[in-house]
Amino acid sequence: MSQDTSTADPLVIFTPSGKRGRVPAGTPVLQAARQLGVDLDSVCGGRGICSKCQITPGYGEFAKHGVTVHEDALSEWNAVEARYDRVRGLATGRRLGCQAQILRDVVIDVPPESQVHKQVVRKAASARAITMDPATKLYFVEVTEPDMHEPSGDLERLAAALEAQWDLPGATADLSLLAKLQPALRKGGWKVSVAVFRDHTAAAPRILDIWPGLHEGGLYGLAIDLGSTTIAGHLCDLVTGEVLASAGLMNPQIRFGEDLMSRVSYVMMNPGGDAEMTRAVREAMARLAEDLAGDAGIDPGLIVEATLVCNPVMHHLFLGLDPTELGQAPFALVSSSAQALGARDVGLATINPRARLYTLPLIAGHVGADAAAVSLSEAPEASEDLVLIVDVGTNAEILLGDKTRVLACSSPTGPAFEGAQISSGQRAAPGAIEKLEIDPVTRAPRFRVIGCDLWSDEAGFAEATAQTGITGICGSGIIEAVAEMRMAGVLDASGLIGSAEQTGTARCVPDGRTHSYLIWDGSAEGGPRITVTQGDIRAIQLAKAALYAGARLLMDERGVETVDRVVLAGAFGAHISPKHAMVLGMIPDVPLDKVASAGNAAGTGARIALCNRAARAQIEGDVQAITKVETAIAPKFQEHFVAANALPHASDPFPHLSSVVTLPEVSFNTGGDGAGGGRRRRRRS
């Protein structure tokens, strides 16, 4: 008789994919990953030689996942892991997935370097003309030689030269700079180049570095967008403003929780959890800085400045501040002001030891420096017409305004737009479906995957994707898939997927008490079966409803029913068509030509603040004038949220959308068994 292991078998949850399942106790992590379709590399056949399958287990209470992970969740180190660590070294907390066995419920993070299909970071730098006036500049000075008859220190004479020759009075220097001072002055024959930091405040100039003679190696800065899911960085020339390199990596905090409140809960339930997350994100950011310098072929020591934008929870965790108060009303910040810090004091140890870090101000307890950066980039306060700016990620930042008034809020959309919590979802990587169309007559899909410009029904597609395969569906793909399903009539306005008989296509397959839509079946060749399930539809509905409800709250505050134009910011804005966004009801109805993409607006705002010190003063003033709307306590949020669950909306008209798209009037809620918006069936006793 087969044993029922539905409750006895350990539950394993993989991040960042969000895939989960139960496996028999003693199952190696690598085997569990393969069974669940998790992207975990291995080339040595599980012999502990290649190290490609390194993973990081998370311990403690994970309220988001409903599990508590104990220290004995994985088997103890074995001889293979000990030998590998002795010979080649394993980072603290890492295990080899082919050796570690799952014994109890566990949350396991697959780091980027262990993923077969490396993530494509889509937060690229957008082209933008910026008036260059960075806080750190290079100055060439001639210093008076020492004289016994006029005793003074070399630093004092360097400071006097800066004042006389460059009008920089009262320059100071850290102790570590003083150790370089005398050798540089003498080697340069009393002619030196100095990097001097002077920001928009009245603080005295600060000497960050010194070189003998004329330094021609350049000065560089980092603009960093620290997101809940992705950390994106841009390495900029502080003279020209040119972006020399852009890169990104997954935020390692995702293993503690996919959304912000999950991470706050982790801190509440696990003493020392905040320090654990602070350490993880600082190490990742230091590694990103080093990688960017390597990509650009520059000495990391020439990176003398950085700017940082992020949401309030990320802000607090990065700075080493307890975010607990942000998890409950009144959502009190430790500080909302901009911060000017030593980069090394917050873990950026891979750049110049005296580099400075500037964090943009926060707007409110749930509206962060990333929203301030979007405001700096898109300038809603200068708009003649009423503009809605939406920066969608795991947490959506929303701005609404014009010359008369600007409002802001954030809305907890969750990770579904990033491809997480989706049955076949994955991060953006080669092989992931990113665009999709469904024929309205045959209901057959055609799609494109990242890394290939051909559509799936075009000649040469199979050959072009042979190496990457078709591995899953990323955020932009799932959004287009759901919208296309609605336009093709396989999904009704309530979000219910019809049966094969109701829709006329065998691609609508039974899936428990509901149905799924089959996009791709690669099982015959050992590949995945990619479907959109009723649960996927529900996840997208919840995310888009939260987004739309946030926008509606701002419109209510302004007393308007429509906006003049919409700006989509972030990776979402660059990769989703306005039509698909509007079919889902993610954004209010406007003419499609009034919907524009701003690219990575938060990253652009960080670059503006890096390259122009006056912009720092501007945004510090602007955030004081922004009206903050708190979605978590707004009485009408739930009302807007419920109505926005329909596709596109239960009551708000979409006349501009109707002029370009005719949505089929279908309803599949015949038995009340739809999880996507129909009535719930009463549970039988």
Side-chain angles (χ1 to χ4, degrees):
M1 181 182 294
S2 62
Q3 181 182 3
D4 180 8
T5 59
S6 61
T7 57
D9 287 347
L11 174 68
V12 56
I13 301 164
F14 287 95
T15 63
S17 67
K19 294 183 178 178
R20 61 170 61 202
R22 294 192 178 274
V23 296
T27 302
V29 172
L30 178 60
Q31 181 180 331
R34 287 173 171 169
Q35 290 175 359
L36 296 173
V38 174
D39 192 17
L40 179 59
D41 203 357
S42 177
V43 297
C44 71
R47 292 177 293 171
I49 298 172
C50 72
S51 81
K52 299 289 188 182
C53 65
Q54 291 186 35
I55 53 92
T56 305
Y59 300 103
E61 188 168 350
F62 294 84
K64 171 74 175 181
H65 303 302
V67 299
T68 298
V69 182
H70 300 277
E71 293 292 333
D72 59 352
L74 295 182
S75 60
E76 295 184 359
W77 272 43
N78 63 17
V80 174
E81 287 178 294
R83 183 194 69 223
Y84 183 88
D85 184 49
R86 185 175 64 253
V87 175
R88 300 179 65 181
L90 273 173
T92 303
R94 290 283 180 88
R95 299 291 302 272
L96 294 182
C98 61
Q99 303 300 313
Q101 298 178 355
I102 299 167
L103 304 180
R104 302 180 69 176
D105 293 354
V106 66
V107 176
I108 292 175
D109 181 56
V110 180
E113 57 269 30
S114 297
Q115 298 172 18
V116 180
H117 303 94
K118 301 299 185 288
Q119 183 190 14
V120 177
V121 176
R122 296 185 161 196
K123 293 186 176 181
S126 304
R128 175 65 65 91
I130 302 173
T131 301
M132 294 301 297
D133 184 23
T136 303
K137 297 179 182 178
L138 194 66
Y139 299 92
F140 180 76
V141 293
E142 297 185 27
V143 181
T144 303
E145 295 186 35
D147 185 337
M148 285 193 306
H149 301 291
E150 296 182 13
S152 67
D154 284 350
L155 174 61
E156 287 69 27
R157 282 181 284 102
L158 173 58
L162 282 168
E163 181 174 5
Q165 297 167 35
W166 293 103
D167 192 25
L168 294 171
T172 63
D174 291 348
L175 180 62
S176 62
L177 188 279
L178 297 184
K180 300 181 65 176
L181 181 59
Q182 290 191 328
L185 284 169
R186 283 149 183 83
K187 184 177 180 180
W190 306 99
K191 297 180 180 67
V192 292
S193 300
V194 287
V196 179
F197 171 82
R198 184 178 61 165
D199 65 8
H200 58 296
T201 68
R206 183 191 297 261
I207 303 171
L208 301 184
D209 217 331
I210 185 170
W211 297 269
L214 180 64
H215 171 69
E216 297 180 301
L219 289 181
Y220 305 94
L222 292 173
I224 303 169
D225 178 6
L226 170 56
S228 308
T229 303
T230 305
I231 309 173
H234 309 295
L235 178 65
C236 304
D237 188 312
L238 289 181
V239 176
T240 66
E242 179 185 1
V243 178
L244 302 178
S246 294
L249 44 75
M250 298 299 298
N251 186 336
Q253 293 176 341
I254 201 166
R255 70 175 180 267
F256 304 102
E258 292 175 325
D259 57 46
L260 300 178
M261 289 303 102
S262 297
R263 294 179 204 179
V264 174
S265 296
Y266 184 85
V267 172
M268 292 177 174
M269 297 177 182
N270 297 277
D274 52 345
E276 192 178 1
M277 281 192 273
T278 294
R279 182 172 58 252
V281 74
R282 286 181 176 182
E283 289 174 353
M285 199 174 292
R287 186 167 67 250
L288 175 62
E290 192 172 32
D291 290 346
L292 284 165
D295 291 345
I298 69 161
D299 176 3
L302 295 176
I303 301 175
V304 293
E305 261 212 272
T307 53
L308 175 71
V309 302
C310 51
N311 62 59
V313 173
M314 294 298 95
H315 172 275
H316 280 37
L317 287 172
F318 175 73
L319 295 183
L321 307 174
D322 188 343
T324 300
E325 291 297 326
L326 296 175
Q328 56 200 358
F331 314 111
L333 296 158
V334 173
S335 173
S336 60
S337 300
Q339 302 292 325
L341 309 162
R344 186 151 289 206
D345 294 338
V346 287
L348 278 176
T350 53
I351 61 178
N352 189 287
R354 290 164 297 279
R356 306 297 297 170
L357 172 72
Y358 175 80
T359 68
L360 274 69
L362 307 177
I363 297 177
H366 281 166
V367 189
D370 45 3
V374 171
S375 176
L376 184 59
S377 171
E378 299 306 307
E381 76 285 350
S383 178
E384 295 287 350
D385 53 6
L386 188 61
V387 56
L388 180 75
I389 305 169
V390 182
D391 189 359
V392 179
T394 306
N395 204 56
E397 315 290 344
I398 310 171
L399 296 166
L400 176 69
D402 54 20
K403 282 187 171 182
T404 62
R405 190 182 178 202
V406 177
L407 303 94
C409 73
S410 75
S411 203
T413 50
F417 290 147
E418 307 277 353
Q421 295 183 346
I422 300 299
S423 60
S424 296
Q426 67 167 84
R427 305 298 174 186
I433 295 173
E434 63 170 341
K435 297 192 75 63
L436 184 138
E437 295 177 353
I438 298 178
D439 187 293
V441 177
T442 66
R443 273 85 173 189
R446 64 194 293 260
F447 54 83
R448 280 172 49 181
V449 300
I450 296 174
C452 178
D453 292 331
L454 297 173
W455 287 85
S456 58
D457 58 353
E458 291 183 319
F461 175 81
E463 294 77 10
T465 58
Q467 187 169 359
T468 63
I470 300 165
T471 55
I473 186 165
C474 68
S476 62
I478 190 64
I479 290 169
E480 293 201 5
V482 175
E484 288 284 332
M485 289 169 66
R486 178 70 183 95
M487 289 189 287
V490 299
L491 184 69
D492 67 16
S494 74
L496 194 64
I497 302 173
S499 65
E501 293 74 20
Q502 290 171 319
T503 61
T505 174
R507 288 187 173 272
C508 291
V509 295
D511 188 358
R513 295 174 61 191
T514 59
H515 295 87
S516 295
Y517 177 78
L518 178 64
I519 296 175
W520 172 260
D521 189 355
S523 56
E525 295 78 31
R529 183 178 167 89
I530 299 172
T531 61
V532 178
T533 69
Q534 191 64 65
D536 298 338
I537 300 294
R538 185 60 178 155
I540 292 297
Q541 282 180 284
L542 292 174
K544 78 95 180 180
L547 177 61
Y548 190 86
R552 282 294 314 182
L553 279 182
L554 298 188
M555 294 164 68
D556 289 348
E557 183 72 19
R558 279 296 300 257
V560 299
E561 292 296 321
T562 60
V563 300
D564 296 319
R565 59 189 177 95
V566 175
V567 175
L568 301 176
F572 162 82
H575 294 276
I576 301 298
S577 76
K579 182 177 75 172
H580 289 103
M582 208 172 291
V583 167
L584 286 187
M586 296 177 69
I587 56 177
D589 182 77
V590 294
L592 293 183
D593 62 0
K594 293 295 184 180
V595 183
S597 170
N600 181 16
T604 300
R607 284 167 47 219
I608 293 171
L610 176 69
C611 295
N612 187 292
R613 56 185 176 166
R616 304 181 184 187
Q618 176 191 332
I619 193 58
E620 288 175 20
D622 285 350
V623 297
Q624 300 301 318
I626 294 176
T627 300
K628 300 88 176 174
V629 176
E630 181 53 66
T631 58
I633 58 175
K636 291 198 69 174
F637 181 83
Q638 188 64 25
E639 177 184 330
H640 286 312
F641 177 82
V642 171
N645 266 268
L647 304 172
H649 197 274
S651 56
D652 286 358
F654 277 71
H656 293 104
L657 176 65
S658 299
S659 68
V660 293
V661 174
T662 301
L663 297 177
E665 294 185 8
V666 293
S667 176
F668 305 127
N669 190 17
T670 55
D673 59 349
R679 302 184 192 89
R680 284 187 181 175
R681 175 180 290 174
R682 180 175 297 172
R683 181 176 295 175
R684 295 178 180 176
S685 57

